[in-house]
Amino acid sequence: MNLDASLRMSMKELLDCKHPTAWIEFEKGLIDEVELERIFFKDGRKFDLEGLKSCVRDGYSYIEGVEELLSTLKDNGYEMHAFTNYPIWYRMIEEKLKLSSYLSWTFCSCILGKRKPDPLIYEEVLKHLDIEPQNCVFIDDTMKNVEAAKEAGINGIQFKNADSLQQDLSLLGVSFPSINTQKQEHKI
């Protein structure tokens, strides 16, 4: 995803002139798109919000092997949930990729009002799922989020690619037979 190109500036320029908390507030659902557009830049300049949304939408696709891995996990009875810092724009991603075919969009920051790696959100996830932390697997591409999950007692895996994820899950006892009719107790 090339957000800096859609805004016609380098990432350094963007970081220097964007509002310090607007995006985080948007991710937490504290402000809506109208307010995001109004305060996105510290100096109040206008920008192409629809172009930014298109850039976000166009920037998402399945990473090689991930859709097959999700399908196998679902077919083998594993319960999976999105645990994401996405703003309400997660709906655009859902519309494009149909992730709900494999998982529930249960833990979105824009709905919960909290973001990873806040320790409270991990506690909330465990309470909602009514599961012991050692029976839960958290997968994220950002190590600080994985470390926060581990601090909560949750098995954490840093995502690199589908093959390494399958290997890491196997080490945790997640099975990958083609069909398993028994419901597994792990939640991902």
Side-chain angles (χ1 to χ4, degrees):
M1 188 170 3
N2 195 357
L3 294 178
D4 49 331
S6 73
L7 295 169
R8 295 179 178 82
M9 62 181 63
S10 72
M11 186 57 77
K12 182 185 179 335
E13 290 171 310
L14 174 60
L15 293 174
D16 288 343
C17 63
K18 74 174 187 60
H19 185 282
T21 62
W23 186 258
I24 291 170
E25 291 171 11
F26 184 49
E27 283 185 334
K28 288 182 172 183
L30 301 174
I31 63 172
D32 61 14
E33 280 184 9
V34 172
E35 184 66 3
L36 176 71
E37 185 175 27
R38 189 182 74 74
I39 68 169
F40 189 78
F41 287 107
K42 288 186 274 192
D43 62 8
R45 77 181 83 162
K46 299 294 177 202
F47 69 99
D48 181 8
L49 179 66
E50 290 306 314
L52 178 60
K53 287 172 66 174
S54 291
C55 178
V56 169
R57 183 183 309 105
D58 295 345
Y60 278 89
S61 62
Y62 280 103
I63 295 169
E64 184 180 336
V66 167
E67 189 170 17
E68 296 80 7
L69 183 57
L70 288 170
S71 180
T72 299
L73 289 165
K74 181 182 178 194
D75 289 349
N76 286 289
Y78 288 95
E79 182 178 323
M80 296 177 283
H81 300 268
F83 183 1
T84 177
N85 286 348
Y86 290 156
I88 196 70
W89 293 351
Y90 80 88
R91 293 177 180 164
M92 294 185 309
I93 298 163
E94 168 59 24
E95 186 178 303
K96 181 177 180 182
L97 300 180
K98 309 292 187 229
L99 279 165
S100 62
S101 301
Y102 308 108
L103 54 79
S104 295
W105 287 95
T106 314
F107 306 109
C108 295
S109 61
C110 63
I111 297 167
L112 299 175
K114 297 178 191 82
R115 296 174 72 244
K116 301 173 289 183
D118 180 345
L120 296 176
I121 197 166
Y122 296 90
E123 291 174 23
E124 195 169 320
V125 165
L126 292 169
K127 184 177 178 182
H128 176 87
L129 293 175
D130 191 26
I131 191 169
E132 293 298 318
Q134 67 272 16
N135 293 328
C136 191
V137 179
F138 174 81
I139 302 159
D140 199 285
D141 59 348
T142 304
M143 194 59 193
K144 70 180 178 182
N145 295 337
V146 173
E147 289 168 352
K150 288 179 176 180
E151 287 176 21
I154 299 169
N155 294 294
I157 298 172
Q158 184 178 22
F159 178 83
K160 296 173 189 85
N161 59 55
D163 290 337
S164 67
L165 177 57
Q166 184 170 344
Q167 290 172 1
D168 291 341
L169 288 169
S170 293
L171 291 172
L172 291 173
V174 175
S175 58
F176 290 93
S178 57
I179 297 178
N180 181 350
T181 57
Q182 294 182 349
K183 177 108 173 145
Q184 301 293 325
E185 292 191 25
H186 287 80
K187 296 186 182 191
I188 299 175

